[in-house]
Amino acid sequence: MTVSEAEYLRKVLLSPVYDVAVKSDLVRMNRLSGELNSDIWLKREDQQPVKSFKLRGAYNRMSQLSEAQKQAGVIAASAGNHAQGLAYSARIKGIKAVIVMPETTPDIKVEAVRRFGGDAAEVVLHGTSFDAAKDEAQRLAKENGYTFIPPFDDPDVIAGQGTIGRELLEQNPKLDTLFIAVGGGGLAAGIAVYLKQLKPDLKIIAVESDESACLKAALEAGKPVTLPSVGIFADGVAVKTIGTETFRLCQQYVDEVVTVSSDEICGAIKDIFDDTRVIAEPAGAMSVAAIRKYAKNHDLSQAHVGGILCGANINFHTLRYVSERCELGEQKEAVFAATIPERPGAFKRFCELLGGRGITEFNYRYAREDEAHIFVGLKLRQGQAEFEQIRQTLHDEGYRIFNLSDNEMAKLHVRYMVGGRPVDLPNEHIFSFEFPEHPGALKKFLDTLGDRWNITLFHYRNHGAAEGLVLAGFDIPTDSRRDFDRHLSQLGYHYQEQTDNPAYQFFLSDLTAPA
């Protein structure tokens, strides 16, 4: 359904969201503003009753229901903030809501939906993916006459999110650059269609995770396209296909798209905490991550910059991962592999060449008679340029250095595994997998592969998401590789071969293979 720009303006101005939502604060990030020599403001949507902006769109959509639709009830599929916003709105309006969530949804989110919805909300757990949950929700809607409330691709949902733009203009009319996180596009579309009609010269920059950049892909293709897979860290924006209406509006009103990495998001979570003492969820910190990244290549010294902390529903266990990665995101730490001679005093000489810089991590185990491979974490004061100086110094002294700061396998798995290498395993192949977090996932994995291939390595990590991250090794004779690939395709899990990854080659590969 296409709505005119003037109609969107009317919908935003007349939206009843303040029945439930608060006019969230717009606060100046004094520390970050000083560091970047800019004027940076943060819209605090974590202050909403459900800790995210999603309440606005859900409530506005439910407020437009006919009496017959209210009597029949509503339904949605969501494992995150949309579910909580809808449940809260259902309780306030006294409308029955059914919310279908994947069986893999963390208990903390399921309980939050039940708590916000009270007697008005029924949670149905179905399937092991969002797509399965959505299919079930649509089936139930058709069977029971429920109204399906989409998370983003709906004019009334879009207009509800657009009320943030109305507040921004009232709170700081000087804003000239605004960064907005994009998943399905409802937030950016709603704010942009409102602000651009009233302040056309305001620059709006969409921000996407580089692991789920569906808007960027759609802009390049000229239409919405479906990504083959999306990353799981910033789960609030883990959307494979941008909405049709949200894309139309973003294509017309968004000036630029910036993508950010998981490490940059972690650095932004720390930035927000340092300035506000609030812990944002990964998606909620993306605008700040983009501001820091954008400032490296653009002069923002005279700009009045805004970002939106769009949610703070973070799983507590995710904080461990954030803490590990935030220094890398801010380029205040580097991790790298190095070869040093296997002789007394070699480590001492290596440390001397680092010039007194702080070592955050050092992993080593004897492997060869002539040289050792070490995994090093190093504190930086001047970012990547400083690391390049260090690398050149070490290179001049005869050390081989390989930067692993952008190597996901090294940071997720290998740094915890340095210490053992096989003596004779020439047919070992390494794969990374995303395992759904539900009982039986590992058993399905093993049952599908059967007993034909020996597992030579296995390491599992989870950072509070619905999927766990696995690194696994297999002994695969050359003549059975085709059969192995066929078995992997039957799994249905996202996977990638990592055998040529330098982190594996440096620390875990067969000792008889070339170093």
Side-chain angles (χ1 to χ4, degrees), residues 487-498:
H487 277 68
L488 282 190
S489 67
Q490 295 172 5
L491 275 172
Y493 300 158
H494 178 67
Y495 70 90
Q496 183 176 358
E497 183 161 5
Q498 301 282 359

Side-chain angles (χ1 to χ4, degrees), residues 182-197:
V182 170
L187 180 65
I191 294 175
V193 71
Y194 180 86
L195 289 179
K196 282 290 193 176
Q197 293 185 76

Side-chain angles (χ1 to χ4, degrees), residues 225-246:
V225 295
T226 299
L227 301 176
S229 63
V230 294
I232 60 177
F233 176 57
D235 57 348
V237 294
V239 177
K240 289 185 177 181
T241 312
I242 195 166
T244 302
E245 177 67 354
T246 55

